[in-house]
Amino acid sequence: MREARQPGWSPGARGFRAVVPTEAWASLVGAGVRARHRARQPLLRQGDPGGWTLLCLSGRLAVRYAEPDGREIMLAVRGPGDVVGEFSERDGKPRSATVVAIEPGITVRLPDRRFGELLRRFALETQLNGYILDKIRESAAHAWRLAHHPTATRLADLLDTLVAAAGPDHPAPHLICLSQQELAAALGLARSAVTPVLAEWKARGLIRVARGRLEILDLAGLADPDVSGSGQNRP
């Protein structure tokens, strides 16, 4: 995401928070209802009507698209400072994806009308449009990687994205609370496609795997072409 530093910009801020003044962000947060969520809790459901927008204060969120037959893929990862569900505020259409909490965290639920009023009060329409366009550009690059990169590269990219989305205040950004099945589903793959990749990384000392979670021990090592670009399991 772009990070044009506005007055009141906070060092380490990310997402929409990074491009708006502190006063404006505080007003957005203060105008909504704050709620804690647990890991794997759905926060928005694909196909549901809109009416409100979420501001993420802590914890990582998975944005997932599902087909009627139940197959799904992870479109994006969001984290502290991100706005989620803002499309419905713009066009009034049903939710285009499901948003599920990856880990415990806090969000603020803000009615669309109030969200729009505050955007106009603080003249944030341009910043929001830029933020949305950046999301679309990210989606295009993500679609290319899913279609053309080998499994190891795609998995390394996903883990890097998860770490980056954690934000500066996360106590354990390298701890990913997703099972091997969930990591595979995020990439639109069967678990059998990612298991050998994870086993190789574990043998190299790059990750530690436990039930329902994965800890990254060497993120830079995962980006090594010999590790992430081996050509194994090409789509």
Side-chain angles (χ1 to χ4, degrees):
M1 293 288 178
R2 65 186 67 177
E3 293 189 0
R5 301 187 180 185
Q6 301 290 326
W9 178 85
S10 177
R14 58 172 306 284
F16 190 56
R17 172 66 186 90
V19 297
V20 302
T22 297
E23 179 187 1
W25 180 255
S27 294
L28 288 168
V29 171
V33 177
R34 187 177 303 217
R36 294 185 177 274
H37 55 259
R38 63 185 183 278
R40 296 176 175 82
Q41 177 179 337
L43 304 179
L44 301 176
R45 293 185 185 275
Q46 182 178 327
D48 281 358
W52 43 275
T53 299
L54 288 180
L55 311 179
C56 183
L57 301 188
S58 67
R60 287 168 283 195
L61 312 175
V63 182
R64 299 173 179 171
Y65 173 80
E67 283 288 289
D69 63 5
R71 290 177 299 169
E72 65 177 34
I73 196 166
M74 188 183 294
L75 300 177
V77 180
R78 304 298 175 210
D82 275 318
V83 178
V84 184
E86 75 279 11
F87 282 15
S88 70
E89 187 274 331
R90 314 293 279 183
D91 61 17
K93 294 182 179 179
R95 305 294 187 190
S96 58
T98 294
V99 176
V100 179
I102 295 174
E103 59 199 354
I106 301 172
T107 55
V108 169
R109 178 169 169 161
L110 188 61
D112 284 344
R113 179 176 295 181
R114 185 60 173 150
F115 183 59
E117 290 172 352
L118 290 170
L119 290 178
R120 291 186 290 274
R121 177 192 298 180
F122 291 99
L124 299 178
E125 289 93 344
T126 298
Q127 287 91 332
L128 182 64
N129 288 337
Y131 173 72
I132 291 173
L133 287 173
D134 280 343
K135 285 185 174 183
I136 294 172
R137 292 188 182 98
E138 286 180 357
S139 296
H142 178 64
W144 174 268
R145 290 192 294 269
L146 288 178
H148 297 286
H149 285 185
T151 296
T153 304
R154 293 155 67 184
L155 186 54
D157 286 343
L158 173 59
L159 295 180
D160 182 68
T161 298
L162 285 160
V163 171
D169 299 321
H170 197 289
H174 290 78
L175 182 62
I176 310 301
C177 296
L178 293 172
S179 67
Q180 294 186 39
Q181 179 61 46
E182 289 171 322
L183 288 170
L187 298 173
L189 299 170
R191 177 176 175 174
S192 58
V194 303
T195 299
V197 177
L198 294 174
E200 179 182 345
W201 290 354
K202 181 179 178 181
R204 293 188 182 211
L206 302 175
I207 62 172
R208 181 182 295 121
V209 179
R211 184 179 179 84
R213 62 179 56 191
L214 176 151
E215 183 180 2
I216 303 167
L217 304 178
D218 185 355
L219 184 62
L222 296 180
D224 187 327
D226 290 338
V227 174
S228 65
S230 65
Q232 181 180 3
N233 299 323
R234 286 192 178 277

